[in-house]
DNA sequence: ACAACGATACCCT
DNA sequence: GGGTATCGTTGTT
């Protein structure tokens, strides 16, 4: 792992889902696969709330797919969609069924490997949930991974890399039809690794890093 | 056993 | 902006 990296404790995830989604921005996500390390800074997330959120996979109760969502906060929930995968962090306490979708990171480590996985330029490696999982070799095998204690996926702080001074933008979630009006998508303003067309807002440019 | 669907991405116009 | 490849999950025969 990068020297100086400090993993988040499980208690970080056992807060309100919206708070976790906001707090994850600017933190570092690292995937360790054998000797290969890939990762970067989280720049876009979406919150999927417990109860009454019709867009949330847990909305209709426990199934084989979503059972990990009902574990206590700090586990990884991976699911398949359109022949691709998406990765989420489970939030709040046991049986809440809430999670935060990680939609994009700014690449920092393992760029060669991610380019091999994606066959794309750096700006297209991790700017979307399916692309991110393809770049990081995340699939259903990682469903249920313990983020606070496992050895394959890490989320934490990294001095001089984790973003501290940026403008946070809030928009409705994208790519869904149910509850599509709720303002639960969060991203780092003007960061070029955010997915979609509307990746910036008005105002002065914010902190970016060298890649 | 089967058909419909989707928190996507890519290619086209 | 629109069409669709592609496949695991889900609900329905």
């Amino acid at each position: 792992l990068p020297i100086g990296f400090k993993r988040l404790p499980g208690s970080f995830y056992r807060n309100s889902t919206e708070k976790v989604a906001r707090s994850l921005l600017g933190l570092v996500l690292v995937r360790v696969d054998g000797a290969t390390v890939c990762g970067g800074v989280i720049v876009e997330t979406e919150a999927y709330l417990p109860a009454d959120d019709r867009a949330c996979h847990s909305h209709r109760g426990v199934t084989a797919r979503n059972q990990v969502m009902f574990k206590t906060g700090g586990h990884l929930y991976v699911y398949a969609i359109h022949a691709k995968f998406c990765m989420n962090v489970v939030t709040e306490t046991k049986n809440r069924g809430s999670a935060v979708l990680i939609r994009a990171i700014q690449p920092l480590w393992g760029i060669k490997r991610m380019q091999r996985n994606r066959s794309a330029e750096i700006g297209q490696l991790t700017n979307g949930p399916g692309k991110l999982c393809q770049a990081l070799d995340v699939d259903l095998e990682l469903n249920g991974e313990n983020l606070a204690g496992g050895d394959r996926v890490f989320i934490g702080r990294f001095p001089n890399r984790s973003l501290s001074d940026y403008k946070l933008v809030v928009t409705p979630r994208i790519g869904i039809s149910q509850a599509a009006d709720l303002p639960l998508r969060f991203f780092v303003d003007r960061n070029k690794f955010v997915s979609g067309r509307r990746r910036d807002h008005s105002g002065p440019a914010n902190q970016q890093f060298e890649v």
Side-chain angles (χ1 to χ4, degrees):
Chain A
L1 281 178
I3 305 297
F5 177 84
K6 191 118 180 148
R7 180 198 290 239
L8 295 174
S11 58
F12 173 92
Y13 304 97
R14 295 191 277 276
N15 282 299
S16 89
T17 301
E18 177 170 348
K19 183 178 178 186
V20 172
R22 290 173 174 268
S23 303
L24 282 171
L25 293 182
L27 301 185
V28 163
L29 170 67
V30 176
R31 163 80 165 118
V32 175
D33 185 10
T36 304
V37 175
C38 296
V41 173
I42 298 170
V43 296
E44 181 182 359
T45 61
E46 278 179 355
Y48 287 87
L49 306 181
D52 298 327
D53 181 357
R54 294 163 66 90
C56 186
H57 285 181
S58 67
H59 183 248
R60 290 174 173 274
V62 182
T63 66
R65 173 178 70 167
N66 69 17
Q67 54 175 315
V68 167
M69 295 187 83
F70 293 88
K71 292 188 173 205
T72 191
H75 290 84
L76 196 70
Y77 168 49
V78 182
Y79 67 88
I81 182 169
H82 290 280
K84 298 174 182 64
F85 302 100
C86 291
M87 64 187 298
N88 308 251
V89 301
V90 177
T91 58
E92 308 198 19
T93 50
K94 195 173 189 326
N95 292 327
R96 293 285 282 165
S98 51
V100 172
L101 172 66
I102 301 179
R103 291 193 55 90
I105 69 171
Q106 174 166 344
L108 287 179
W109 301 287
I111 291 170
K112 270 193 164 175
R113 170 62 169 265
M114 293 193 283
Q115 284 180 323
R116 202 185 81 188
N117 287 347
R118 286 270 311 137
S119 303
E121 298 303 307
I122 187 159
Q124 301 296 314
L125 291 181
T126 55
N127 61 336
K131 299 177 188 179
L132 173 62
C133 287
Q134 187 181 14
L136 296 181
D137 290 299
V138 170
D139 60 22
L140 295 181
E141 196 181 317
L142 286 170
N143 189 31
E145 178 86 347
N146 178 9
L147 291 168
D151 60 359
R152 297 183 292 181
V153 180
F154 298 80
I155 296 177
R157 302 177 199 282
F158 188 73
N160 304 321
R161 282 290 186 243
S162 305
L163 278 172
S164 55
D165 182 26
Y166 61 88
K167 182 175 178 182
L168 185 151
V169 183
V170 183
T171 75
R173 295 174 293 189
I174 57 182
I176 58 172
S177 51
Q178 299 283 333
D181 53 327
L182 300 179
L184 293 174
R185 174 182 177 231
F186 308 99
F187 63 88
V188 174
D189 190 25
R190 300 202 169 204
N191 185 286
K192 71 178 200 178
F193 299 96
V194 169
S195 73
R197 292 171 289 282
R198 286 181 55 201
R199 68 169 55 90
D200 58 45
H201 203 249
S202 58
N206 287 284
Q207 178 186 346
Q208 308 278 332
F209 342 89
E210 305 295 319
V211 172

